[in-house]
Amino acid sequence: MLVSLTVGKVDAGVTVLLTPDKRLIEFPSILLPPNISSGSIVDITVSQNTAKETAEEQKFRALQDRIFNSFGASEPETPVLRCRNATQTSVVLEWDPIKLATADLISLSLYRNGQKAGNIPRPLQMHSTKISGLAVDTEYTFYLILRTSAGTRTSEKVTVRTHRMTDLSGITITPGILPSSAKDKLAQAVERIGAKIVDGVRIDTTHFVTIEGRGTAWEKAVENNIPVVRPEWVEACEQNGRILGVTKFYLDAMRAGPPSPENAAPPVPSKSEAPPEPPAKEEGKPLESSSDKANAAEERDDGSSDDGSLNEKEKEELDDHSDSSLPDEQKVRREDKEEQKVAIRPKEDEAVANGNTKGDRDEADTDDGEDESTGKPAAIADGSSFQEVEL
C-alpha cells in the first residue's frame, strides 16, 4: 500500500508528516531521504512480511520447549519412608534420597501421631533418623512432609509398634575387642535370643559389647551415646528371657565377686577352740591369794550388815518425824480452806424474823455482788469469811 505524506517540520530525530486529511504523524528522520525539507512530499509503501513472522514464531516456540524440558518436565518426588529397626523405647526410620528435580528445597519435616516432631537437618545428606524416649509396647504413626519451591509432597504413613520387654529381636549389637572364643560365644547367644550383630557402629546399633575401652569403634559408640557393656549382659538377657538394664554391665562398672583380702571380715572362733589367755599381770603388783579374797568378801558382808542396821534406825526416825509433822500440816491446810470459804447466805425466814424486807434483801444482794466482783469477802473476828448483810 502506497501512502503520500507531506513533510511539515524536520528535526534531527523526528519529522512531522501531514496526511491528506490534515493528521500529524511523527516519523523517524533517519528513515527519510537526506535532502528533504518542509513542504516535500514523500511516498511510503507499507506491507506485511509473513515469512519473517513465521520464522520468529518458530524461534519463540523452540525457546519455550527448551524451558519446559529443562524446568517443567520433571517434578520433585514424594519421599518414601520406612522403618529400619524398632526396640522397646526407640525407632529408627529411613527414607530414599530426596529428588527435587529443578525445584529448590525449603524443608523436610517429620511428623509423629499427627504432630510435628521436628525438621530433618541436612535432608540432602541425611537419609535416616533415630527417635528415642518412646513408651514400651505402644503404636506410633510417622510420615514426612517435603516442602519445595514447586509444591509440597507428603509421604505415606508408617505405623510402628515398639517391642515388649520379652521381645529381644530389636537388639543390634556391634562387637568390640573380644577374644575369638568370646566372640563366637557372643554370636551364638545373639542368634539364640533373635538379635542381630553388625560389623560397624551404625545408627541402629543399640549396644556395643567389648572387654576393653579402646579403638575407633569404641570412640564412635561413646560419641553416639551407645551403651558400652560386657558380654555378660547378653548372657543375663538370655537367662532372664527379657531385656535387662545395662547399669550393672557397663564396661567400667564394678563386677560382682569374692571380697578382697583387705576387706575380708575376721574369722569367728568356734566353740571348740579354747578361750584366749588373760593378759599378763603388770610387774610390781602382788597376786592375791584365795585367803585374801575370802577375807575381803567377809569384810564386805560386815559392812553391808552395819549399813543395813543404820538404815533401819534412820527410817524409824523419819517415820516419827513425818507422823509428828502431819497434824500441823493438816491444821494449816484447814485454816487456809476456811479463810477461802464463802459462807452460805442466811435463810429467808431468818431474815424475815429479823425484820428485813424484800428491798433490803435486794440491796444486800447488790452489796454482795459488789463484794463478789471485787473478790474480797468481809472477814470477822473468828477467822471465818461472811458476806456483809444489812439488817
Side-chain angles (χ1 to χ4, degrees):
M1 183 176 73
L2 182 61
V3 179
S4 296
L5 302 173
T6 301
V7 178
K9 182 182 177 181
V10 180
D11 288 335
V14 178
T15 301
V16 179
L17 301 178
L18 302 176
T19 62
D21 54 354
K22 308 304 180 183
R23 293 182 180 180
L24 300 178
I25 299 176
E26 292 181 353
F27 197 82
S29 300
I30 194 172
L31 298 178
L32 296 176
N35 55 354
I36 61 173
S37 61
S38 298
S40 299
I41 298 175
V42 294
D43 293 335
I44 298 176
T45 302
V46 180
S47 60
Q48 182 180 2
N49 192 344
T50 55
K52 188 68 174 178
E53 290 179 359
T54 303
E56 291 295 331
E57 184 178 1
Q58 292 176 353
K59 184 178 179 181
F60 178 73
R61 290 186 178 279
L63 176 61
Q64 286 185 332
D65 291 341
R66 288 198 303 271
I67 294 173
F68 177 77
N69 292 332
S70 300
F71 301 98
S74 59
E75 298 180 357
E77 295 183 2
T78 301
V80 179
L81 181 66
R82 56 184 172 270
C83 177
R84 181 172 180 175
N85 188 31
T87 64
Q88 282 73 15
T89 58
S90 64
V91 172
V92 177
L93 302 174
E94 64 179 2
W95 54 89
D96 295 337
I98 302 299
K99 295 182 180 180
L100 300 175
T102 57
D104 295 330
L105 175 65
I106 298 176
S107 65
L108 179 63
S109 305
L110 177 66
Y111 284 75
R112 179 179 67 187
N113 293 341
Q115 297 182 354
K116 185 177 180 180
N119 291 331
I120 304 299
R122 300 181 290 110
L124 297 179
Q125 290 80 25
M126 291 185 60
H127 306 139
S128 61
T129 185
K130 183 176 182 179
I131 302 175
S132 304
L134 304 179
V136 179
D137 193 18
T138 306
E139 190 175 273
Y140 294 90
T141 302
F142 302 94
Y143 59 91
L144 291 172
I145 293 183
L146 175 64
R147 293 180 176 87
T148 65
S149 58
T152 302
R153 305 289 188 276
T154 303
S155 69
E156 296 291 335
K157 294 183 179 181
V158 176
T159 302
V160 182
R161 190 175 191 88
T162 54
H163 294 177
R164 299 179 179 178
M165 299 299 292
T166 56
D167 188 359
L168 305 179
S169 60
I171 298 176
T172 303
I173 295 175
T174 298
I177 299 176
L178 294 171
S180 57
S181 58
K183 187 174 293 186
D184 296 340
K185 187 177 180 180
L186 175 65
Q188 295 174 4
V190 168
E191 184 178 358
R192 286 193 299 268
I193 65 177
K196 300 181 291 293
I197 288 184
V198 294
D199 293 333
V201 177
R202 308 185 310 190
I203 190 173
D204 58 340
T205 299
T206 58
H207 298 82
F208 187 83
V209 179
T210 183
I211 59 173
E212 296 183 14
R214 59 186 177 86
T216 56
W218 172 79
E219 293 178 356
K220 188 174 181 180
V222 174
E223 182 181 356
N224 294 333
N225 295 326
I226 297 174
V228 180
V229 297
R230 303 189 304 271
E232 290 84 350
W233 177 79
V234 180
E235 299 175 1
C237 290
E238 182 182 4
Q239 293 175 1
N240 289 269
R242 61 196 306 272
I243 189 169
L244 300 178
V246 296
T247 305
K248 298 180 180 179
F249 300 93
Y250 278 131
L251 184 61
D252 54 353
M254 184 69 67
R255 297 194 180 188
S260 59
E262 298 178 357
N263 300 330
V268 179
S270 60
K271 296 181 179 179
S272 60
E273 295 179 0
E277 297 180 357
K281 297 291 182 178
E282 294 182 1
E283 296 180 359
K285 277 191 177 183
L287 297 176
E288 295 181 357
S289 61
S290 58
S291 60
D292 295 337
K293 293 182 180 179
N295 295 331
E298 289 177 358
E299 291 176 359
R300 285 197 299 270
D301 294 341
D302 296 340
S304 62
S305 62
D306 296 340
D307 295 341
S309 61
L310 291 175
N311 290 336
E312 289 177 359
K313 292 180 181 179
E314 291 177 358
K315 287 181 181 179
E316 290 176 358
E317 292 176 359
L318 290 174
D319 293 340
D320 296 339
H321 178 70
S322 61
D323 293 342
S324 61
S325 62
L326 180 59
D328 298 335
E329 293 179 0
Q330 291 178 352
K331 290 178 183 179
V332 173
R333 292 179 184 173
R334 251 189 255 111
E335 290 177 359
D336 294 340
K337 291 182 180 179
E338 289 174 356
E339 289 178 1
Q340 296 176 0
K341 188 185 299 180
V342 178
I344 302 174
R345 186 179 303 164
K347 297 183 180 178
E348 293 183 0
D349 52 353
E350 294 177 0
V352 174
N354 294 329
N356 291 339
T357 60
K358 184 177 180 181
D360 296 335
R361 288 197 301 272
D362 295 338
E363 292 178 359
D365 294 339
T366 56
D367 294 338
D368 296 340
E370 292 176 359
D371 294 337
E372 289 175 0
S373 63
T374 58
K376 296 180 180 179
I380 59 176
D382 60 354
S384 301
S385 299
F386 293 91
Q387 294 180 351
E388 294 180 356
V389 179
E390 294 182 359
L391 300 177

